[in-house]
PDB file of all heavy atoms in Angstrom:
ATOM      1  N   ILE F  47      18.909   3.347  32.583  1.00  0.00           N
ATOM      2  CA  ILE F  47      19.436   4.665  32.234  1.00  0.00           C
ATOM      3  C   ILE F  47      19.278   5.641  33.392  1.00  0.00           C
ATOM      4  O   ILE F  47      20.217   6.357  33.784  1.00  0.00           O
ATOM      5  CB  ILE F  47      18.742   5.217  30.973  1.00  0.00           C
ATOM      6  CG1 ILE F  47      19.152   4.414  29.729  1.00  0.00           C
ATOM      7  CG2 ILE F  47      19.057   6.700  30.772  1.00  0.00           C
ATOM      8  CD1 ILE F  47      20.622   4.480  29.378  1.00  0.00           C
ATOM      9  N   PHE F  48      18.100   5.685  33.981  1.00  0.00           N
ATOM     10  CA  PHE F  48      17.871   6.627  35.075  1.00  0.00           C
ATOM     11  C   PHE F  48      18.613   6.222  36.338  1.00  0.00           C
ATOM     12  O   PHE F  48      19.047   7.085  37.109  1.00  0.00           O
ATOM     13  CB  PHE F  48      16.374   6.770  35.343  1.00  0.00           C
ATOM     14  CG  PHE F  48      15.615   7.454  34.233  1.00  0.00           C
ATOM     15  CD1 PHE F  48      14.445   6.910  33.734  1.00  0.00           C
ATOM     16  CD2 PHE F  48      16.081   8.637  33.679  1.00  0.00           C
ATOM     17  CE1 PHE F  48      13.751   7.537  32.710  1.00  0.00           C
ATOM     18  CE2 PHE F  48      15.396   9.268  32.651  1.00  0.00           C
ATOM     19  CZ  PHE F  48      14.230   8.716  32.167  1.00  0.00           C
ATOM     20  N   SER F  49      18.778   4.939  36.553  1.00  0.00           N
ATOM     21  CA  SER F  49      19.457   4.462  37.762  1.00  0.00           C
ATOM     22  C   SER F  49      20.931   4.848  37.797  1.00  0.00           C
ATOM     23  O   SER F  49      21.533   4.919  38.871  1.00  0.00           O
ATOM     24  CB  SER F  49      19.323   2.943  37.892  1.00  0.00           C
ATOM     25  OG  SER F  49      17.979   2.577  38.087  1.00  0.00           O
ATOM     26  N   THR F  50      21.523   5.120  36.634  1.00  0.00           N
ATOM     27  CA  THR F  50      22.925   5.524  36.607  1.00  0.00           C
ATOM     28  C   THR F  50      23.112   6.915  37.211  1.00  0.00           C
ATOM     29  O   THR F  50      24.225   7.279  37.608  1.00  0.00           O
ATOM     30  CB  THR F  50      23.465   5.538  35.170  1.00  0.00           C
ATOM     31  OG1 THR F  50      22.763   6.534  34.404  1.00  0.00           O
ATOM     32  CG2 THR F  50      23.297   4.170  34.502  1.00  0.00           C
ATOM     33  N   GLY F  51      22.028   7.705  37.251  1.00  0.00           N
ATOM     34  CA  GLY F  51      22.104   9.051  37.815  1.00  0.00           C
ATOM     35  C   GLY F  51      22.590  10.118  36.861  1.00  0.00           C
ATOM     36  O   GLY F  51      22.681  11.288  37.225  1.00  0.00           O
ATOM     37  N   ASN F  52      22.888   9.738  35.618  1.00  0.00           N
ATOM     38  CA  ASN F  52      23.404  10.708  34.651  1.00  0.00           C
ATOM     39  C   ASN F  52      22.308  11.459  33.911  1.00  0.00           C
ATOM     40  O   ASN F  52      22.566  12.501  33.300  1.00  0.00           O
ATOM     41  CB  ASN F  52      24.305   9.995  33.631  1.00  0.00           C
ATOM     42  CG  ASN F  52      25.547   9.403  34.275  1.00  0.00           C
ATOM     43  OD1 ASN F  52      26.121   9.994  35.189  1.00  0.00           O
ATOM     44  ND2 ASN F  52      25.950   8.224  33.824  1.00  0.00           N
ATOM     45  N   THR F  53      21.096  10.915  33.937  1.00  0.00           N
ATOM     46  CA  THR F  53      19.973  11.536  33.235  1.00  0.00           C
ATOM     47  C   THR F  53      18.911  11.897  34.257  1.00  0.00           C
ATOM     48  O   THR F  53      18.131  11.051  34.698  1.00  0.00           O
ATOM     49  CB  THR F  53      19.387  10.580  32.175  1.00  0.00           C
ATOM     50  OG1 THR F  53      20.438  10.163  31.295  1.00  0.00           O
ATOM     51  CG2 THR F  53      18.307  11.276  31.358  1.00  0.00           C
ATOM     52  N   LYS F  54      18.894  13.160  34.646  1.00  0.00           N
ATOM     53  CA  LYS F  54      17.934  13.627  35.645  1.00  0.00           C
ATOM     54  C   LYS F  54      17.827  15.135  35.534  1.00  0.00           C
ATOM     55  O   LYS F  54      18.572  15.777  34.782  1.00  0.00           O
ATOM     56  CB  LYS F  54      18.389  13.238  37.056  1.00  0.00           C
ATOM     57  CG  LYS F  54      19.752  13.781  37.457  1.00  0.00           C
ATOM     58  CD  LYS F  54      20.161  13.265  38.823  1.00  0.00           C
ATOM     59  CE  LYS F  54      21.553  13.781  39.206  1.00  0.00           C
ATOM     60  NZ  LYS F  54      21.967  13.291  40.540  1.00  0.00           N
ATOM     61  N   GLY F  55      16.903  15.720  36.278  1.00  0.00           N
ATOM     62  CA  GLY F  55      16.738  17.163  36.233  1.00  0.00           C
ATOM     63  C   GLY F  55      15.382  17.585  36.740  1.00  0.00           C
ATOM     64  O   GLY F  55      14.665  16.813  37.384  1.00  0.00           O
ATOM     65  N   GLU F  56      15.013  18.810  36.415  1.00  0.00           N
ATOM     66  CA  GLU F  56      13.734  19.360  36.865  1.00  0.00           C
ATOM     67  C   GLU F  56      12.587  18.972  35.943  1.00  0.00           C
ATOM     68  O   GLU F  56      11.497  18.640  36.404  1.00  0.00           O
ATOM     69  CB  GLU F  56      13.828  20.892  36.949  1.00  0.00           C
ATOM     70  CG  GLU F  56      14.745  21.402  38.040  1.00  0.00           C
ATOM     71  CD  GLU F  56      14.145  21.196  39.424  1.00  0.00           C
ATOM     72  OE1 GLU F  56      12.973  21.559  39.628  1.00  0.00           O
ATOM     73  OE2 GLU F  56      14.863  20.650  40.292  1.00  0.00           O
ATOM     74  N   ILE F  57      12.831  19.046  34.631  1.00  0.00           N
ATOM     75  CA  ILE F  57      11.724  18.954  33.673  1.00  0.00           C
ATOM     76  C   ILE F  57      11.973  17.845  32.653  1.00  0.00           C
ATOM     77  O   ILE F  57      13.033  17.775  32.020  1.00  0.00           O
ATOM     78  CB  ILE F  57      11.544  20.293  32.938  1.00  0.00           C
ATOM     79  CG1 ILE F  57      11.136  21.381  33.945  1.00  0.00           C
ATOM     80  CG2 ILE F  57      10.503  20.180  31.826  1.00  0.00           C
ATOM     81  CD1 ILE F  57      11.151  22.770  33.386  1.00  0.00           C
ATOM     82  N   LEU F  58      10.963  16.998  32.483  1.00  0.00           N
ATOM     83  CA  LEU F  58      10.955  15.972  31.441  1.00  0.00           C
ATOM     84  C   LEU F  58       9.725  16.187  30.569  1.00  0.00           C
ATOM     85  O   LEU F  58       8.623  16.391  31.077  1.00  0.00           O
ATOM     86  CB  LEU F  58      10.923  14.573  32.045  1.00  0.00           C
ATOM     87  CG  LEU F  58      10.948  13.404  31.036  1.00  0.00           C
ATOM     88  CD1 LEU F  58      11.762  12.242  31.588  1.00  0.00           C
ATOM     89  CD2 LEU F  58       9.554  12.911  30.677  1.00  0.00           C
ATOM     90  N   ILE F  59       9.922  16.163  29.276  1.00  0.00           N
ATOM     91  CA  ILE F  59       8.817  16.233  28.314  1.00  0.00           C
ATOM     92  C   ILE F  59       8.731  14.906  27.583  1.00  0.00           C
ATOM     93  O   ILE F  59       9.721  14.413  27.043  1.00  0.00           O
ATOM     94  CB  ILE F  59       9.013  17.386  27.312  1.00  0.00           C
ATOM     95  CG1 ILE F  59       8.930  18.737  28.037  1.00  0.00           C
ATOM     96  CG2 ILE F  59       7.977  17.324  26.199  1.00  0.00           C
ATOM     97  CD1 ILE F  59       9.182  19.938  27.146  1.00  0.00           C
ATOM     98  N   ASP F  60       7.538  14.328  27.582  1.00  0.00           N
ATOM     99  CA  ASP F  60       7.291  13.062  26.879  1.00  0.00           C
ATOM    100  C   ASP F  60       6.442  13.344  25.654  1.00  0.00           C
ATOM    101  O   ASP F  60       5.335  13.880  25.757  1.00  0.00           O
ATOM    102  CB  ASP F  60       6.576  12.075  27.805  1.00  0.00           C
ATOM    103  CG  ASP F  60       6.224  10.792  27.085  1.00  0.00           C
ATOM    104  OD1 ASP F  60       7.153  10.073  26.677  1.00  0.00           O
ATOM    105  OD2 ASP F  60       5.020  10.518  26.913  1.00  0.00           O
ATOM    106  N   VAL F  61       6.973  12.990  24.480  1.00  0.00           N
ATOM    107  CA  VAL F  61       6.275  13.211  23.209  1.00  0.00           C
ATOM    108  C   VAL F  61       6.098  11.853  22.558  1.00  0.00           C
ATOM    109  O   VAL F  61       7.006  11.368  21.875  1.00  0.00           O
ATOM    110  CB  VAL F  61       7.078  14.157  22.280  1.00  0.00           C
ATOM    111  CG1 VAL F  61       6.196  14.649  21.134  1.00  0.00           C
ATOM    112  CG2 VAL F  61       7.659  15.332  23.041  1.00  0.00           C
ATOM    113  N   SER F  62       4.958  11.221  22.781  1.00  0.00           N
ATOM    114  CA  SER F  62       4.818   9.823  22.411  1.00  0.00           C
ATOM    115  C   SER F  62       3.503   9.534  21.716  1.00  0.00           C
ATOM    116  O   SER F  62       2.585  10.354  21.687  1.00  0.00           O
ATOM    117  CB  SER F  62       4.956   8.940  23.657  1.00  0.00           C
ATOM    118  OG  SER F  62       6.269   9.037  24.185  1.00  0.00           O
ATOM    119  N   THR F  63       3.421   8.338  21.179  1.00  0.00           N
ATOM    120  CA  THR F  63       2.193   7.876  20.553  1.00  0.00           C
ATOM    121  C   THR F  63       1.235   7.336  21.606  1.00  0.00           C
ATOM    122  O   THR F  63       1.658   6.877  22.669  1.00  0.00           O
ATOM    123  CB  THR F  63       2.513   6.768  19.519  1.00  0.00           C
ATOM    124  OG1 THR F  63       1.334   6.464  18.783  1.00  0.00           O
ATOM    125  CG2 THR F  63       3.000   5.513  20.191  1.00  0.00           C
ATOM    126  N   GLY F  64      -0.053   7.410  21.314  1.00  0.00           N
ATOM    127  CA  GLY F  64      -1.054   6.793  22.167  1.00  0.00           C
ATOM    128  C   GLY F  64      -1.143   7.383  23.566  1.00  0.00           C
ATOM    129  O   GLY F  64      -0.403   8.300  23.930  1.00  0.00           O
ATOM    130  N   PRO F  65      -2.012   6.824  24.403  1.00  0.00           N
ATOM    131  CA  PRO F  65      -2.157   7.262  25.793  1.00  0.00           C
ATOM    132  C   PRO F  65      -1.211   6.481  26.704  1.00  0.00           C
ATOM    133  O   PRO F  65      -1.592   5.973  27.751  1.00  0.00           O
ATOM    134  CB  PRO F  65      -3.630   6.944  26.091  1.00  0.00           C
ATOM    135  CG  PRO F  65      -3.911   5.731  25.277  1.00  0.00           C
ATOM    136  CD  PRO F  65      -3.077   5.855  24.024  1.00  0.00           C
ATOM    137  N   LEU F  66       0.052   6.378  26.293  1.00  0.00           N
ATOM    138  CA  LEU F  66       1.014   5.511  26.980  1.00  0.00           C
ATOM    139  C   LEU F  66       1.678   6.222  28.149  1.00  0.00           C
ATOM    140  O   LEU F  66       2.048   7.391  28.047  1.00  0.00           O
ATOM    141  CB  LEU F  66       2.097   5.039  26.006  1.00  0.00           C
ATOM    142  CG  LEU F  66       1.624   4.369  24.725  1.00  0.00           C
ATOM    143  CD1 LEU F  66       2.822   3.965  23.874  1.00  0.00           C
ATOM    144  CD2 LEU F  66       0.741   3.164  25.032  1.00  0.00           C
ATOM    145  N   VAL F  67       1.856   5.491  29.247  1.00  0.00           N
ATOM    146  CA  VAL F  67       2.596   6.018  30.400  1.00  0.00           C
ATOM    147  C   VAL F  67       3.573   4.988  30.965  1.00  0.00           C
ATOM    148  O   VAL F  67       4.362   5.307  31.863  1.00  0.00           O
ATOM    149  CB  VAL F  67       1.655   6.476  31.537  1.00  0.00           C
ATOM    150  CG1 VAL F  67       0.776   7.633  31.080  1.00  0.00           C
ATOM    151  CG2 VAL F  67       0.798   5.332  32.069  1.00  0.00           C
ATOM    152  N   HIS F  68       3.548   3.760  30.461  1.00  0.00           N
ATOM    153  CA  HIS F  68       4.336   2.692  31.078  1.00  0.00           C
ATOM    154  C   HIS F  68       5.830   2.993  31.093  1.00  0.00           C
ATOM    155  O   HIS F  68       6.554   2.572  31.994  1.00  0.00           O
ATOM    156  CB  HIS F  68       4.076   1.357  30.391  1.00  0.00           C
ATOM    157  CG  HIS F  68       4.567   1.265  28.979  1.00  0.00           C
ATOM    158  ND1 HIS F  68       3.985   1.959  27.948  1.00  0.00           N
ATOM    159  CD2 HIS F  68       5.591   0.558  28.441  1.00  0.00           C
ATOM    160  CE1 HIS F  68       4.614   1.674  26.820  1.00  0.00           C
ATOM    161  NE2 HIS F  68       5.605   0.835  27.091  1.00  0.00           N
ATOM    162  N   HIS F  69       6.306   3.753  30.112  1.00  0.00           N
ATOM    163  CA  HIS F  69       7.724   4.071  30.016  1.00  0.00           C
ATOM    164  C   HIS F  69       8.141   5.199  30.957  1.00  0.00           C
ATOM    165  O   HIS F  69       9.318   5.551  31.016  1.00  0.00           O
ATOM    166  CB  HIS F  69       8.063   4.449  28.573  1.00  0.00           C
ATOM    167  CG  HIS F  69       7.237   5.581  28.033  1.00  0.00           C
ATOM    168  ND1 HIS F  69       5.880   5.493  27.837  1.00  0.00           N
ATOM    169  CD2 HIS F  69       7.572   6.848  27.678  1.00  0.00           C
ATOM    170  CE1 HIS F  69       5.416   6.628  27.379  1.00  0.00           C
ATOM    171  NE2 HIS F  69       6.431   7.475  27.269  1.00  0.00           N
ATOM    172  N   LEU F  70       7.179   5.758  31.703  1.00  0.00           N
ATOM    173  CA  LEU F  70       7.475   6.906  32.564  1.00  0.00           C
ATOM    174  C   LEU F  70       7.540   6.566  34.048  1.00  0.00           C
ATOM    175  O   LEU F  70       7.860   7.436  34.859  1.00  0.00           O
ATOM    176  CB  LEU F  70       6.415   7.995  32.351  1.00  0.00           C
ATOM    177  CG  LEU F  70       6.337   8.580  30.936  1.00  0.00           C
ATOM    178  CD1 LEU F  70       5.159   9.528  30.828  1.00  0.00           C
ATOM    179  CD2 LEU F  70       7.641   9.282  30.561  1.00  0.00           C
ATOM    180  N   PHE F  71       7.254   5.339  34.418  1.00  0.00           N
ATOM    181  CA  PHE F  71       7.227   5.004  35.839  1.00  0.00           C
ATOM    182  C   PHE F  71       8.603   5.139  36.493  1.00  0.00           C
ATOM    183  O   PHE F  71       8.696   5.499  37.674  1.00  0.00           O
ATOM    184  CB  PHE F  71       6.668   3.593  36.051  1.00  0.00           C
ATOM    185  CG  PHE F  71       5.173   3.537  35.952  1.00  0.00           C
ATOM    186  CD1 PHE F  71       4.554   2.861  34.919  1.00  0.00           C
ATOM    187  CD2 PHE F  71       4.376   4.163  36.896  1.00  0.00           C
ATOM    188  CE1 PHE F  71       3.175   2.813  34.821  1.00  0.00           C
ATOM    189  CE2 PHE F  71       2.985   4.131  36.814  1.00  0.00           C
ATOM    190  CZ  PHE F  71       2.383   3.451  35.771  1.00  0.00           C
ATOM    191  N   SER F  72       9.673   4.866  35.779  1.00  0.00           N
ATOM    192  CA  SER F  72      11.010   5.086  36.330  1.00  0.00           C
ATOM    193  C   SER F  72      11.363   6.569  36.346  1.00  0.00           C
ATOM    194  O   SER F  72      12.019   7.057  37.271  1.00  0.00           O
ATOM    195  CB  SER F  72      12.067   4.325  35.530  1.00  0.00           C
ATOM    196  OG  SER F  72      11.934   2.930  35.693  1.00  0.00           O
ATOM    197  N   ALA F  73      10.898   7.298  35.335  1.00  0.00           N
ATOM    198  CA  ALA F  73      11.275   8.706  35.177  1.00  0.00           C
ATOM    199  C   ALA F  73      10.798   9.573  36.333  1.00  0.00           C
ATOM    200  O   ALA F  73      11.454  10.556  36.693  1.00  0.00           O
ATOM    201  CB  ALA F  73      10.727   9.252  33.863  1.00  0.00           C
ATOM    202  N   CYS F  74       9.659   9.212  36.925  1.00  0.00           N
ATOM    203  CA  CYS F  74       9.081  10.088  37.950  1.00  0.00           C
ATOM    204  C   CYS F  74       9.943  10.175  39.205  1.00  0.00           C
ATOM    205  O   CYS F  74       9.741  11.054  40.038  1.00  0.00           O
ATOM    206  CB  CYS F  74       7.661   9.643  38.304  1.00  0.00           C
ATOM    207  SG  CYS F  74       7.537   8.061  39.152  1.00  0.00           S
ATOM    208  N   GLU F  75      10.921   9.276  39.351  1.00  0.00           N
ATOM    209  CA  GLU F  75      11.823   9.324  40.497  1.00  0.00           C
ATOM    210  C   GLU F  75      12.990  10.296  40.278  1.00  0.00           C
ATOM    211  O   GLU F  75      13.719  10.615  41.213  1.00  0.00           O
ATOM    212  CB  GLU F  75      12.387   7.933  40.791  1.00  0.00           C
ATOM    213  CG  GLU F  75      11.334   6.849  40.984  1.00  0.00           C
ATOM    214  CD  GLU F  75      10.489   7.068  42.227  1.00  0.00           C
ATOM    215  OE1 GLU F  75      10.922   7.840  43.116  1.00  0.00           O
ATOM    216  OE2 GLU F  75       9.396   6.486  42.313  1.00  0.00           O
ATOM    217  N   PHE F  76      13.156  10.767  39.035  1.00  0.00           N
ATOM    218  CA  PHE F  76      14.350  11.542  38.697  1.00  0.00           C
ATOM    219  C   PHE F  76      14.044  12.916  38.119  1.00  0.00           C
ATOM    220  O   PHE F  76      14.965  13.699  37.871  1.00  0.00           O
ATOM    221  CB  PHE F  76      15.206  10.743  37.710  1.00  0.00           C
ATOM    222  CG  PHE F  76      15.704   9.444  38.273  1.00  0.00           C
ATOM    223  CD1 PHE F  76      14.952   8.285  38.130  1.00  0.00           C
ATOM    224  CD2 PHE F  76      16.889   9.393  38.993  1.00  0.00           C
ATOM    225  CE1 PHE F  76      15.401   7.084  38.680  1.00  0.00           C
ATOM    226  CE2 PHE F  76      17.334   8.204  39.529  1.00  0.00           C
ATOM    227  CZ  PHE F  76      16.589   7.051  39.387  1.00  0.00           C
TER     228      PHE F  76
END
Side-chain angles (χ1 to χ4, degrees):
I47 291 297
F48 292 132
S49 295
T50 64
N52 296 323
T53 305
K54 59 184 178 180
E56 292 288 311
I57 296 170
L58 181 144
I59 294 177
D60 176 65
V61 194
S62 295
T63 188
L66 306 180
V67 297
H68 67 290
H69 56 295
L70 298 174
F71 282 113
S72 292
C74 68
E75 306 294 342
F76 298 90

